[in-house]
Amino acid sequence: PSFQGVLPALYSNEVVDALAVVQSLPADRPVLVTAHFEAGLAGEIKWAAQPVLKHLVLRNIPMALTSTNVIGFAVLQDLVSQAVGEGSDYRIDRKVVDLGYLPGGTIGLGALVNDPLAALPFTSDIQPVGEVKVLKGVTSLADFGALILITDNPDYARMWVEQIAWGDTPVSTLAVVSAQAAPMIQPYFYSGQVSGYVSGISGARSYELLRAAPGAASARFS
């Protein structure tokens, strides 16, 4: 119980850049948050994702949620609810739209990149996406303020990067990944295909320190 971890004194470029992207997002454009992770790493993913999601909530950024696997679909909505917390002015019913499960693997991702409203025509509560206020003005992936990938699977991130490059879609892409996936994401950051990423509890702790807003990662880092 008395053990104290060595706190990071320097901040990696990918975390700094991720924070800068979120800080510069326009408040009138939604971000697309998409998830793909397995149950065994859901705890680490929760810690890594919380500081980014809380930053979005603090900036009052609208969110559209989707997932390409069942676990991600089940957990993503809960992650957002935890980030909002109690007593927040952020209204989930007005600011967040759940687009549900996206099937089809690479084919599904390609369809979403080309025409997101056609790939996911209904919300999880069977409401036509064209009638959703959060998605007003969204006709392509480029109309989102950013794309945020939450995953423990580097192949999932690779598929997204490839589909965005193939579709020549200009959108800032951020990744929230498990620590084991970070080395596979790093080349995409250096090439500019990923604008920034947060990996594991260490990356989340750095993000919280940069914002001077301690959270779950700070409490559990030691």
Side-chain angles (χ1 to χ4, degrees), residues 33 35 37 42-43 45-47 49-51 53-54 57 63 65-67 70-86 90 92 96-100 124 150:
V33 183
F37 53 88
I45 290 294
K46 284 182 179 180
W47 289 339
Q50 280 304 302
L53 293 175
K54 285 183 177 181
V57 168
M63 290 182 249
L65 314 179
T66 187
S67 175
V70 176
I71 297 299
F73 173 72
V75 175
L76 186 54
Q77 187 70 255
D78 185 53
L79 287 179
V80 174
S81 297
Q82 290 178 14
V84 174
E86 297 181 0
Y90 190 91
I92 291 181
V96 179
V97 55
D98 192 344
L99 299 176
S124 59
I150 302 178

Side-chain angles (χ1 to χ4, degrees), residues 30-134:
V31 298
L32 178 62
V33 183
T34 175
H36 185 112
F37 53 88
E38 300 303 326
L41 289 175
E44 182 186 9
I45 290 294
K46 284 182 179 180
W47 289 339
Q50 280 304 302
V52 178
L53 293 175
K54 285 183 177 181
H55 197 183
L56 292 172
V57 168
L58 182 67
R59 296 213 53 239
N60 209 32
I61 304 293
M63 290 182 249
L65 314 179
T66 187
S67 175
T68 54
N69 75 332
V70 176
I71 297 299
F73 173 72
V75 175
L76 186 54
Q77 187 70 255
D78 185 53
L79 287 179
V80 174
S81 297
Q82 290 178 14
V84 174
E86 297 181 0
S88 173
D89 293 332
Y90 190 91
R91 293 285 301 274
I92 291 181
D93 58 335
R94 296 181 181 178
K95 289 287 186 178
V96 179
V97 55
D98 192 344
L99 299 176
Y101 171 65
L102 175 69
T106 303
I107 296 174
L109 292 183
L112 182 60
V113 168
N114 291 325
D115 191 342
L117 300 190
L120 293 166
F122 297 98
T123 66
S124 59
D125 56 358
I126 322 299
Q127 183 179 1
V129 292
E131 300 176 4
V132 178
K133 187 176 180 180
V134 171

